[in-house]
Amino acid sequence: MTPDQLAIQLADPTQRRVFSAVALGATTSSEILAVSALAAPDAAPAIGRLVRAGLLVQGRGTVALNDAALAAAADSAARRLADEAANDQPDPQLRGRIRGGVLVDLPEDDSDARHAVLRHLAGATFATGREYDERTVTERLQPWCEGGLLDAVSLRRTLVDDGLMLRQSGRYRLAAD
C-alpha cells in the first residue's frame, strides 16, 4: 500500500467512517455500524473495499486494521519526503531548514548549523562588495520568508546580529568571511 493508495481509499467518506470505527476499536459489523452511524447497505461494501485494498484484515466475523500495510505506507511516505528534501536541498546542513526557497527552520542551539543557514541565505541573496539600502535588503529577503519562520525585517536583523551583513549609515553589505 502506498501513501497515495491510502489517501484514495480514505477520500471516500463512507470508507473513512468505517476505517475510523475500526481504528477506534470496532471489530464486528454491528460495532462498526454503531460507531460509524452507517446503515448496513452502506457499510458492508465499504468494509469489503477496505479489505481488498489491504487497509483492513478480516478474521472470523471480525476486522482489524492492517498495521503492516499502514506502517509500510508511512515508511514509503517518509522515504519520499526524505528524497524530496535531499533533491530540494543537497547540502545536508541546510536540509529541512530551507524548503522550496523558504527558510522554515533556523537553529538556535547549533551555532555551526545556524551560521551555515544564514551564510547560505546571505550568499544566495547578495553580491560580495556591493552595498544595499535597507529597503532593498528587506525586499530581497522577502522570498525566503513567504510563509516561513521569520519575516524579512527580522531576517535582516538576524543577518546583521550574527555578523553576516554589516550595517553602516543605513547601508548594508555582506561581511567578509
Side-chain angles (χ1 to χ4, degrees):
M1 160 109 5
T2 68
D4 293 335
Q5 292 167 325
L6 174 66
I8 290 167
Q9 293 300 318
L10 296 181
D12 178 270
T14 303
Q15 288 179 202
R16 190 171 50 248
R17 286 171 74 178
V18 168
F19 182 86
S20 297
V22 175
L24 290 171
T27 59
T28 65
S29 296
S30 61
E31 290 173 346
I32 292 171
L33 294 175
V35 172
S36 68
L38 291 169
D42 296 325
I47 293 169
R49 286 191 297 272
L50 290 169
V51 168
R52 284 189 299 282
L55 284 172
L56 299 181
V57 290
Q58 205 164 20
R60 244 172 221 225
T62 64
V63 293
L65 294 182
N66 185 342
D67 292 329
L70 293 170
D75 288 344
S76 175
R79 279 191 308 278
R80 187 173 68 197
L81 287 174
D83 290 346
E84 288 173 3
N87 290 336
D88 184 42
Q89 189 51 257
D91 183 341
Q93 273 193 305
L94 304 178
R95 201 170 296 148
R97 302 185 192 295
I98 298 172
R99 282 191 211 113
V102 175
L103 177 64
V104 295
D105 179 46
L106 185 60
E108 293 293 328
D109 300 335
D110 185 350
S111 62
D112 290 340
R114 179 183 178 88
H115 190 75
V117 170
L118 292 173
R119 187 177 58 245
H120 172 78
L121 291 176
T125 309
F126 305 103
T128 304
R130 183 165 172 213
E131 286 193 350
Y132 302 89
D133 63 45
E134 187 170 89
R135 182 176 180 175
T136 301
V137 172
T138 302
E139 287 172 356
R140 286 177 162 243
L141 292 173
Q142 188 59 44
W144 294 106
C145 302
E146 296 297 328
L149 180 68
L150 298 172
D151 60 82
V153 172
S154 298
L155 182 54
R156 184 189 72 221
R157 179 172 297 285
T158 299
L159 288 170
V160 171
D161 290 348
D162 283 34
L164 284 124
M165 290 198 82
L166 302 175
R167 180 179 186 270
Q168 188 173 33
S169 301
R171 306 291 294 172
Y172 293 79
R173 64 181 170 83
L174 284 177
D177 275 341

